[in-house]
Amino acid sequence: MTNPGVLVIFGATGDLARRMLFPSLYFLDADQLLTSGLRIVGAARSDLTDEAFRAEVKTSVEERLGSPVPDATWARFSARLSYCPGDASDPGTYKRLSAMIRGDQERVYYLSTSPSLYIPIVNGLASESLTGAPSRIIVEKPIGRSLETCEAINGAIGKHFDEPRIFRIDHYLGKEAVQNLIALRFANTLFEPLWNRHTIEHVQITVAETLGVGDRYSYYDDFGAIRDMVQNHLLQLLCLIAMEPPSSMNPESVRNEKVKVLRSLRPLRDVDLPVRTVRGQYVRGMSDGQAVASYLEDGSAAESDTETFVALCAHIDNWRWKDVPFYLRTGKRLPHRSSQIVIQFRTVPHSIFGDTHLMANRLTIRLQPEEEISLSLMNKTPTLSQGGYELRPLELNLSLSDAFRSEIRRRIAYERLLLEAINNNSTLFVRRDEAEAAWTWVDRIIEGWTRSGIRPAPYPAGSWGPAGAFALTERNGHTWSE
């Protein structure tokens, strides 16, 4: 691994940079994980001096930290910061940037901008001969809004950066609990022999948000829940759960196995869509005890066919997962903010406990708001009775925050991802064929919805989505874990 001399962040005054990127870089510096010579250049349209830019970054860091930054730590970090004003479509921007970073042979570019600016930025860098190896580029999701647009963006970037130098970021892959999925599966003999169709009945993946679209309406209305969440976050989680053991933790070994999962996803035909997919859009309701507006009212729109809720029943056609349903669910204005994966095991083949109801074991991996792992086991109650054994399920809990209370734990998923990109480790990033395989599967669903005239069903804000979401699992004799 090699360390760059400069990190350039395009869109440096935007929401993502302010809330996530600069606080993450500050925390990395505070933990002395950034090399001493690394410079950080912010590039954006705002006409700021270096001093004004540093002041804005300091405000962002303190908002995230919840307290003033220590003077000594801030002095070291702020010395890294400089600013390059200019519009992404203006050739003069890249001339100014070139003058600032020409002396650095190895550069990392972070495109924290609208995807519509990816191609102009890459072409602008190339016009000043700033894209040569070993420099690399980080691009945020979404990579396009369809397979066709994804291929166009990938092709344009690929003209100037070869694939090992392109880091497609999905911040879910930076979460500690998500990375722990690999350790849970492949560092413990307990689970891997059971991780298949013979012992697992079904899998649930839920990413629930209580908030509405807020000021993201213009973006969200063009993408919807399936493009914004399913195509990247949920399918990445599915890959980590379902993939075969990689030969090593080498980036290509891990990503090869994830691609195999995506290519094994059973295509959903038009005839499947009414029973295997659910679209929803929130209407007026209650959230956290407050009356909240509908999606259309949030956007001051007369009508929209954009879904704010999606539930899917997916299947992976390979030997390990033949006929095991994978239920994916995500939505806005749901009752609780929660991201979790539920592995539902099959019931015991024969009960020796008479009429006692035995609940099947269930492994729950919670990603947020708290990171924890729990395993539900049947246990004898410590009581005397005429009937013999009395059983009930108990939870074996592993709270990561409790287990590693004395350890330094990452505060923001972007910290790890930024550090890995700076260190040129691509394991936690999405390869081109991954992104395009995910779009291939999702595009078929979107196109099928259009052909079949399947519009979003209304659901009250504060509920768990349309009634069809419950029917989705109940058809197979399953229920959602709330």
Side-chain angles (χ1 to χ4, degrees):
M1 298 180 184
T2 53
N3 292 308
V6 63
L7 169 64
V8 180
I9 298 179
F10 288 92
T13 59
D15 182 66
L16 176 64
R18 180 180 59 80
R19 291 189 303 107
M20 297 292 181
L21 302 186
F22 287 112
S24 294
L25 289 165
Y26 168 82
F27 291 140
L28 291 174
D29 194 332
D31 291 341
Q32 299 185 351
L33 292 172
L34 298 182
T35 55
S36 59
L38 177 68
R39 298 187 300 122
I40 301 169
V41 176
R45 288 180 296 179
S46 302
D47 187 14
L48 299 174
T49 63
D50 286 351
E51 290 73 19
F53 174 62
R54 290 175 183 137
E56 287 198 1
V57 171
K58 186 177 184 181
T59 299
S60 299
V61 170
E62 290 182 335
E63 286 178 357
R64 186 76 194 201
L65 192 62
S67 63
V69 295
D71 290 341
T73 309
W74 175 251
R76 184 177 70 238
F77 180 66
S78 64
R80 300 179 185 272
L81 301 174
S82 56
Y83 185 73
C84 178
D87 191 279
S89 61
D90 179 10
T93 300
Y94 304 97
K95 294 185 183 300
R96 287 190 295 275
L97 181 62
S98 177
M100 296 176 68
I101 67 175
R102 175 70 63 185
D104 297 286
Q105 292 301 310
E106 188 169 351
R107 316 166 189 105
V108 175
Y109 305 105
Y110 196 121
L111 273 54
S112 175
T113 66
S114 164
S116 64
L117 297 177
Y118 290 174
I119 295 175
I121 289 173
V122 170
N123 289 339
L125 292 171
S127 70
E128 293 296 321
S129 302
L130 297 174
T131 59
S135 296
R136 45 199 178 271
I137 190 166
I138 307 170
V139 290
E140 274 282 344
K141 71 95 178 172
I143 311 295
R145 66 184 302 277
S146 63
L147 176 61
E148 181 181 6
T149 55
C150 178
E151 289 175 331
I153 291 173
N154 281 330
I157 296 174
K159 288 180 181 178
H160 306 294
F161 294 88
D162 53 25
E163 183 61 27
R165 296 190 291 126
I166 303 172
F167 290 67
R168 298 172 188 84
I169 200 166
D170 183 334
H171 76 268
Y172 258 58
L173 297 182
K175 291 180 179 293
E176 196 73 40
V178 172
Q179 294 167 56
N180 204 36
L181 282 173
I182 296 177
L184 185 73
R185 286 194 56 192
F186 305 125
N188 298 286
T189 57
L190 173 66
F191 290 115
E192 185 54 28
L194 306 178
W195 214 260
N196 56 60
R197 63 186 298 269
H198 299 295
T199 51
I200 292 177
E201 184 180 72
H202 71 269
V203 177
Q204 300 179 21
I205 304 174
T206 296
V207 178
E209 301 176 86
T210 56
L211 298 177
V213 291
D215 57 8
R216 297 179 70 227
Y217 184 88
S218 59
Y219 158 80
Y220 195 91
D221 198 54
D222 195 36
F223 280 77
I226 194 166
R227 292 185 175 100
D228 186 51
M229 296 294 291
V230 175
Q231 186 272 334
N232 39 77
H233 298 333
L234 273 73
L235 288 185
Q236 283 294 316
L237 294 177
L238 182 145
C239 286
L240 292 177
I241 296 164
M243 72 181 187
E244 295 298 315
S247 59
S248 71
M249 280 301 292
N250 173 278
E252 294 312 302
S253 295
V254 174
R255 299 195 292 183
N256 286 344
E257 299 305 331
K258 289 163 65 182
V259 170
K260 290 178 186 177
V261 173
L262 292 169
R263 289 177 175 166
S264 298
L265 279 171
R266 185 184 302 170
L268 292 178
R269 304 164 299 167
D270 288 6
V271 69
D272 300 320
L273 297 178
V275 295
R276 300 261 302 279
T277 73
V278 177
R279 299 179 79 195
Q281 186 184 99
Y282 66 83
V283 295
R284 289 183 180 184
M286 300 292 291
S287 179
D288 292 329
Q290 304 268 337
V292 294
S294 69
Y295 173 74
L296 295 178
E297 290 169 328
D298 281 345
S300 301
E303 60 178 322
S304 172
D305 276 344
T306 298
E307 76 284 344
T308 61
F309 176 95
V310 174
L312 306 170
C313 177
H315 288 86
I316 299 169
D317 288 333
N318 61 22
W319 279 29
R320 182 183 290 265
W321 298 112
K322 174 73 172 171
D323 293 332
V324 175
F326 283 74
Y327 300 109
L328 313 181
R329 175 176 63 166
T330 184
K332 291 190 173 295
R333 288 295 187 205
L334 300 184
H336 309 295
R337 175 177 174 263
S338 173
S339 296
Q340 69 176 25
I341 299 159
V342 175
I343 313 295
Q344 180 65 59
F345 291 92
R346 298 188 184 278
T347 56
V348 296
H350 171 70
S351 173
I352 64 173
F353 300 102
D355 294 333
T356 301
H357 176 64
L358 299 183
M359 293 185 64
N361 303 132
R362 171 178 287 184
L363 178 68
T364 303
I365 303 161
R366 295 182 179 88
L367 311 178
Q368 62 183 25
E370 297 296 328
E371 297 174 344
E372 64 179 24
I373 300 167
S374 66
L375 178 62
S376 175
L377 302 171
M378 291 303 296
N379 192 74
K380 180 186 178 298
T381 60
T383 59
L384 296 175
S385 70
Q386 296 287 351
Y389 276 69
E390 288 189 10
L391 305 177
R392 70 178 182 187
L394 291 179
E395 300 287 332
L396 267 177
N397 289 312
L398 170 62
S399 168
L400 298 184
S401 58
D402 290 341
F404 299 103
R405 189 181 299 276
S406 61
E407 304 289 330
I408 298 173
R409 289 176 43 73
R410 299 264 60 86
R411 290 154 286 244
I412 308 174
Y414 279 95
E415 292 180 56
R416 184 176 297 277
L417 295 172
L418 281 164
L419 186 62
E420 295 296 285
I422 288 169
N423 288 333
N424 201 17
N425 183 352
S426 58
T427 304
L428 299 179
F429 296 84
V430 180
R431 204 167 61 190
R432 176 173 181 167
D433 53 352
E434 273 185 80
E436 294 178 357
W439 274 121
T440 298
W441 191 72
V442 165
D443 272 2
R444 286 174 177 153
I445 297 172
I446 297 171
E447 291 163 3
W449 282 343
T450 301
R451 284 191 300 269
S452 304
I454 297 176
R455 303 183 69 243
Y459 66 94
S463 72
W464 278 109
F470 301 96
L472 184 77
T473 57
E474 288 168 358
R475 287 188 187 95
N476 298 322
H478 305 145
T479 57
W480 289 106
S481 175
E482 305 301 359

